[in-house]
Amino acid sequence: MANLKELKARISSVKSTQRITSAMKMVAAAKLRKAQDMAEAARPYAERIERMLGSLAAGTSSAGAPAMLSGTGKDDTHLLVIVTSDRGLCGGFNGSIIRAVRQRILALQAQGKTVKLLIIGRKGVGLLRREFRDLFVETYEELAKPIPTFEGAATVADKVTAMFEAGEFDVCTVYYNKFVSALTQIVTPLQLIPFAVPESDKDAPAAGGASAVYEFEPEEEKILAALLPKNLSTQVFRAMLESFAGEQGARMTAMDNATRNAGDMINSLSITYNRSRQAQITKELIEIISGAEAL
């Protein structure tokens, strides 16, 4: 059993840790409010541009479709864009997306596909470097510091576009944690190239009966050619915002749990300290009484 001095030092150390985790929880809670507002504000625009592109794609012939819509006609090479955090202490936030990505990589490789990785966030780089270092094509650290920006997302989108135009991949999918609540983040894959028509748009004509006929100026192909690159930047920005909000929620939850665990440990150590102190005082009293009786 540790002596009183060691127990007192340990209690002091745990109290210091508790103050740190409590402060980190409050900081994460303050950031979460802003991050959640940003993520929720970006969703309607991202979802609407997806629906718009889906409607345009439905009326476009495959012969005149832009490359980002029709793809290369193959799926031999896959580019995975992985959005993680730059900082830790956020529970299983990064671990969950890394597990999903690792499973996807191994599944694609088992099918004989070539996989390339573009990683956003220092933690993703560190967690994947040991096993999949040879698959890295680009990494971005501190891109979302202090908060995600559209300029940062456009940088990633420009890199993806340049790689696609150079014929370096056939399919591009972004993986990110979709923010649901401070307790829940869902790992979400979203195919960016070739553009995947949302499921709701595929079922819309059958569910709604007759649909309206639209005339476009300029033609659908030209509109798609202009909007598809913008959609790429928009969806990457959306993924970064969702991930940032999820990170703050996960960190707030993790620090709250750490603070409560530290409190439980302090109580346990305090009980042990008081019992040890009482036992030591009792021992000293017995020694004094025994000495007095011997005289």
Side-chain angles (χ1 to χ4, degrees), residues 114-187:
T114 301
V115 180
K116 298 181 179 181
L117 303 180
L118 189 154
I119 305 174
I120 302 172
R122 181 182 298 133
K123 290 300 176 181
V125 175
L127 291 171
L128 291 170
R129 178 184 287 119
R130 177 178 299 178
E131 190 173 359
F132 301 111
R133 180 66 182 88
D134 295 340
L135 306 182
F136 287 14
V137 294
E138 190 67 67
T139 60
Y140 296 93
E141 299 182 9
E142 305 292 347
L143 190 64
K145 188 178 180 179
I147 60 174
T149 62
F150 189 78
E151 289 75 14
T155 301
V156 178
D158 290 343
K159 174 64 177 178
V160 173
T161 302
M163 291 180 63
F164 181 67
E165 291 175 348
E168 297 182 22
F169 66 86
D170 302 311
V171 180
C172 175
T173 306
V174 61
Y175 279 81
Y176 65 96
N177 276 305
K178 182 177 181 181
F179 175 79
V180 177
S181 68
L183 296 174
T184 307
Q185 300 86 35
I186 301 174
V187 177

Side-chain angles (χ1 to χ4, degrees), residues 41-213:
R43 285 176 188 170
Y45 183 82
E47 292 169 357
R48 183 58 184 166
I49 194 172
E50 271 191 324
R51 293 205 307 269
M52 183 190 304
L53 288 172
S55 300
L56 287 168
T60 303
S61 63
S62 57
M68 282 191 178
L69 176 63
S70 60
T72 62
K74 302 180 295 182
D75 67 341
D76 298 333
T77 304
H78 288 251
L79 174 67
L80 305 184
V81 180
I82 305 155
V83 184
T84 61
S85 69
D86 288 303
R87 299 174 58 205
L89 299 177
C90 47
F93 175 80
N94 292 302
S96 59
I97 194 168
I98 295 302
R99 283 193 298 271
V101 169
R102 180 178 286 110
Q103 292 173 1
R104 180 59 175 163
I105 293 172
L106 296 177
L108 289 171
Q109 290 179 336
Q111 298 171 17
K113 311 294 185 184
T114 301
V115 180
K116 298 181 179 181
L117 303 180
L118 189 154
I119 305 174
I120 302 172
R122 181 182 298 133
K123 290 300 176 181
V125 175
L127 291 171
L128 291 170
R129 178 184 287 119
R130 177 178 299 178
E131 190 173 359
F132 301 111
R133 180 66 182 88
D134 295 340
L135 306 182
F136 287 14
V137 294
E138 190 67 67
T139 60
Y140 296 93
E141 299 182 9
E142 305 292 347
L143 190 64
K145 188 178 180 179
I147 60 174
T149 62
F150 189 78
E151 289 75 14
T155 301
V156 178
D158 290 343
K159 174 64 177 178
V160 173
T161 302
M163 291 180 63
F164 181 67
E165 291 175 348
E168 297 182 22
F169 66 86
D170 302 311
V171 180
C172 175
T173 306
V174 61
Y175 279 81
Y176 65 96
N177 276 305
K178 182 177 181 181
F179 175 79
V180 177
S181 68
L183 296 174
T184 307
Q185 300 86 35
I186 301 174
V187 177
T188 305
L190 176 64
Q191 183 173 306
L192 300 178
I193 299 175
F195 175 75
V197 179
E199 292 294 330
S200 57
D201 289 344
K202 294 179 182 178
D203 301 335
S211 59
V213 177

Side-chain angles (χ1 to χ4, degrees), residues 185-290:
Q185 300 86 35
I186 301 174
V187 177
T188 305
L190 176 64
Q191 183 173 306
L192 300 178
I193 299 175
F195 175 75
V197 179
E199 292 294 330
S200 57
D201 289 344
K202 294 179 182 178
D203 301 335
S211 59
V213 177
Y214 296 92
E215 292 183 359
F216 296 95
E217 180 65 34
E219 294 77 10
E220 291 95 322
E221 290 81 1
K222 292 183 179 180
I223 299 176
L224 283 169
L227 287 182
L228 283 169
K230 296 182 182 298
N231 176 66
L232 183 61
S233 300
T234 300
Q235 299 305 331
V236 172
F237 185 46
R238 174 191 184 182
M240 291 174 63
L241 289 175
E242 294 278 358
S243 180
F244 184 70
E247 176 192 349
Q248 303 309 320
R251 181 170 292 113
M252 184 184 75
T253 302
M255 291 300 100
D256 179 57
N257 292 335
T259 301
R260 286 190 284 106
N261 291 339
D264 294 340
M265 184 176 291
I266 290 170
N267 292 335
S268 177
L269 289 172
S270 297
I271 292 173
T272 303
Y273 175 82
N274 291 333
R275 287 177 177 173
S276 299
R277 184 168 178 270
Q278 184 177 5
Q280 184 175 348
I281 293 172
T282 302
K283 180 181 177 181
E284 291 175 355
L285 287 174
I286 292 174
E287 290 175 351
I288 293 172
I289 293 171
S290 298

